[in-house]
Structures are given as structure tokens and as C-alpha cells.
Amino acid sequence: METVIQTEHLTKNYGKARGITDVSLRVNAGEIYGFMGPNGAGKSTTIRSLLGLIKPTGGTAAILGRDCVKDKKDVLSRIGYMPSETVFYKGMKVKDVIALSAKLRGKDCRKQADMLCERLRLDVDKKVEQLSLGNRKKVGIVCAMQHKPELSIFDEPTSGLDPLIQKEFFDLILERNKEGATFFLSSHVLSEVKKYCTRAAIIREGKVIAEDSVEHLISGNARKVTVNGLTRLPEALEKCAKKVTKDGDQIHFLYQGDPKQLLSVLHTQPLTDLLIEEPDMEEIFLHYYQ
């Protein structure tokens, strides 16, 4: 299987400030790959190192078989990229920014750009300084996708987008993916990664702490449980329960164990209500950190 992104012990130091340390990961051709981590974990630093926007302190990184430092120009010519924060030249209209992006690549992207703008409901006659965060994101998406790159790298692409546009964005990704394109998606939204990505890595404090199929990453995690009507957690559940808190007549805890045992024990208790749900991203990270 062809490897599209490969890093080995990639490191970026900022003096006393933490960057990334020993980041090793592999993205295969045709994947939608998730790169998960809370804000400040090192996602953007990793991406900027991959793109040659900052020079790594150590390790290696290659995209499409080319060295990200030595072959930076060739790498950038073959990919699409949208940063987490999009900034454009003031005074320009949206259509001019999109046209400039295509011109810099030496390609006629008008047909694709028109299609993307229509599907993302982007007003191309507005000036960029008049745009909301969500509409700036849309411009970034169009600039990153209009030339139909074989690899697209998106850093927190859906923040600021309304739910309908988020769905349209992922529909576009799935369509391109069926045509063979590869996507690298940085996100802290677990539901996005779970629904659309095939494999993912989790980064914590600048280090990749897990890389696997999304199914395996999520399946080993705890479940968030809330019970009403109990004064204390049953002793039979204490070994598998973490982060136990009590709020009035509610007990909250993370449960990692046999779900049949959980239900069997709770069945014998005088509880008045029960909620079992997927933990949020922070709780997923806490599980991996522990």
C-alpha cells in the first residue's frame, strides 16, 4: 500500500516552549485519516512541519515520497492545505482570492471553484473583511480543494461552520475520496473522526500516544454513565469505574469493563434513571493518558 505521509521521530523545539517530540505516523493512499488532540497538543505544529512552513528540529517527514524540507516546493504544488485560522489580503473580494489561489498554482480551476462555492453557499462578491469566521473557512476550503489535489490537509476545518455546511463539506470529501484522493484531518471533534475517518492518531503534549483504526481506538474506551437514585456506587463496579463524582442524587463515572456486568449489577439497585453515553473528547484523552 502506497504511503502518502510518513514521519519518523519528527521533533520541533521552541526553546523553553513545548513543540512536538518524536512524532511518528503513517498515512496510506486513499485514507481519510484523523489527527486528534485537544487544543495545544501539537496538531498544528505537526502540520506546519509537514508543509515546511516551520523547520523541524529533528526527525524526518515525507509527503508523496518527497522530503518535506528538501522538496518543499514540489510537495506544496501537489497538495491542498487549509490552516485552522484563515487570513486573506484585505480589500479583496472572495472571487479574487479564489482566482489568485488558482493562478499561483498555474491552473484553471473556475469550474471546480464555481461548484464548490455553490455547494458551500459562499457569496463570492463579498470582501474578505466582511466575512464571518464560517465564511472565511469556506473560502479556505475552496482554495484548498479547487485544484483537485491528490492529498488535502485540513487543520480544524469545521470550526465555525454551521451543521448543514459541515455535512456538505464531508460529502465533498467522501466524493473526492471515492476518486482516490487522500485526506488528513486535524480535529478535536470525536464524532467527526468516528464517522468519517478510517484510521487516526491521538497526540498529547507533543507526542503521538496512539495510532490505529478508529474502530479500535474508540472500542477500548470507557463509557460515561450517570445513575439516579443511588447514595453510593455499588462495590462490584468500583474496580472498573473511574472519575466517580456525586451531584445530589446523581452519580457520574467512567466505566471500562464488561457492559453485561454493569447492567447486571445496576439491575439489582434501586436506581430511578440510567444514562450510558459516549465520553466526550477530553474524557477519551484522559483514558489514553492514563
Side-chain angles (χ1 to χ4, degrees):
M1 187 176 293
E2 182 186 356
T3 300
V4 173
I5 298 176
Q6 178 88 46
T7 70
E8 296 287 348
H9 312 298
L10 189 64
T11 300
K12 176 62 182 178
N13 294 328
Y14 291 107
K16 293 182 179 180
R18 176 184 56 76
I20 55 173
T21 306
D22 197 23
V23 171
S24 297
L25 52 84
R26 186 191 80 255
V27 179
N28 298 317
E31 283 193 306
I32 302 177
Y33 186 97
F35 193 44
M36 299 188 292
N39 292 330
K43 300 190 301 296
S44 294
T45 298
T46 301
I47 289 173
R48 290 166 186 159
S49 298
L50 281 171
L51 298 173
L53 301 178
I54 55 178
K55 189 174 181 179
T57 308
T60 61
I63 289 180
L64 299 167
R66 310 291 288 175
D67 186 277
C68 293
V69 176
K70 297 176 182 177
D71 306 310
K72 173 183 171 182
K73 185 175 180 181
D74 180 42
V75 167
L76 293 179
S77 71
R78 298 173 62 186
I79 69 174
Y81 166 59
M82 188 186 80
S84 58
E85 296 181 10
T86 47
V87 180
F88 307 105
Y89 293 116
K90 290 183 178 180
M92 294 185 71
K93 290 185 176 180
V94 169
K95 59 185 176 184
D96 297 326
V97 171
I98 294 171
L100 175 61
S101 176
K103 185 177 180 180
L104 290 172
R105 293 187 176 276
K107 294 185 177 182
D108 183 353
C109 304
R110 286 174 291 183
K111 184 176 179 180
Q112 282 295 313
D114 289 345
M115 179 274 292
L116 291 166
C117 289
E118 180 179 352
R119 290 184 61 173
L120 295 173
R121 303 178 191 177
L122 179 60
D123 185 347
V124 298
D125 291 314
K126 278 192 172 183
K127 289 189 175 181
V128 290
E129 57 263 36
Q130 298 174 320
L131 300 179
S132 64
L133 170 62
N135 282 318
R136 290 201 304 274
K137 286 278 188 179
K138 294 178 189 179
V139 179
I141 292 169
V142 174
C143 290
M145 296 186 72
Q146 64 175 339
H147 57 296
K148 301 189 75 173
E150 49 197 304
L151 168 67
S152 294
I153 297 176
F154 291 100
D155 193 356
E156 301 286 357
T158 59
S159 61
L161 297 179
D162 68 58
L164 289 176
I165 299 301
Q166 288 182 25
K167 182 181 182 306
E168 194 66 47
F169 168 69
F170 281 111
D171 285 346
L172 288 166
I173 283 183
L174 292 172
E175 290 166 19
R176 291 281 174 88
N177 181 247
K178 285 181 180 178
E179 297 171 358
T182 305
F183 291 88
F184 184 92
L185 303 176
S186 159
S187 178
H188 62 264
V189 183
L190 177 62
S191 58
E192 290 180 355
V193 175
K194 183 178 180 181
K195 185 173 183 179
Y196 297 104
C197 297
T198 48
R199 288 196 312 123
I202 296 176
I203 187 169
R204 173 216 182 198
E205 295 182 358
K207 295 182 180 181
V208 171
I209 57 173
E211 184 188 29
D212 206 335
S213 69
V214 171
E215 181 182 358
H216 286 159
L217 287 174
I218 303 237
S219 64
N221 282 297
R223 286 294 175 261
K224 189 176 181 178
V225 182
T226 301
V227 293
N228 288 54
L230 301 185
T231 58
R232 64 182 297 275
L233 189 69
E235 186 176 340
L237 298 179
E238 288 180 353
K239 183 180 289 189
C240 296
K242 298 178 180 179
K243 292 192 66 180
V244 180
T245 59
K246 196 170 186 303
D247 180 17
D249 67 343
Q250 288 187 335
I251 298 177
H252 309 272
F253 59 97
L254 291 180
Y255 180 82
Q256 187 177 24
D258 186 348
K260 292 180 181 178
Q261 182 192 11
L262 172 68
L263 295 176
S264 176
V265 172
L266 292 178
H267 179 69
T268 65
Q269 302 297 312
L271 71 164
T272 58
D273 200 1
L274 169 66
L275 175 64
I276 303 175
E277 56 187 331
E278 186 178 82
D280 59 31
M281 182 62 88
E282 182 180 351
E283 289 161 333
I284 291 284
F285 292 148
L286 285 171
H287 162 68
Y288 276 102
Y289 295 173
Q290 292 166 350

